Amino acid sequence: GGLATPVVLLCATGNRAAQAAEQMRLVGFTEVYVVAGGMDGTAAAPGWRAAALPVVAGADEDQLFGLAH
């Protein structure tokens, strides 16, 4: 994908993901999204786990995205 490919960033609380998103936008990415509250949540946003969204424990990115080595 190119710089217009959608990218979703996620970290524990969303802070590092927001910093990474800013850097990605500076180099030209146009579709960068941050999961509000990250995995664990903050006072402002409950996060992925609190929203009862799916989590695959122990999965690596090859398993998540169906990539083959």
Side-chain angles (χ1 to χ4, degrees), residues 8-48:
V8 178
L9 302 173
L10 176 68
C11 67
T13 63
N15 291 329
R16 287 171 296 167
Q19 292 171 4
E22 181 179 339
Q23 293 301 309
M24 291 180 75
R25 289 184 189 105
L26 288 173
V27 298
F29 283 86
T30 58
E31 298 291 326
V32 183
Y33 304 93
V34 175
V35 175
M39 284 297 288
D40 299 329
T42 65
W48 189 273

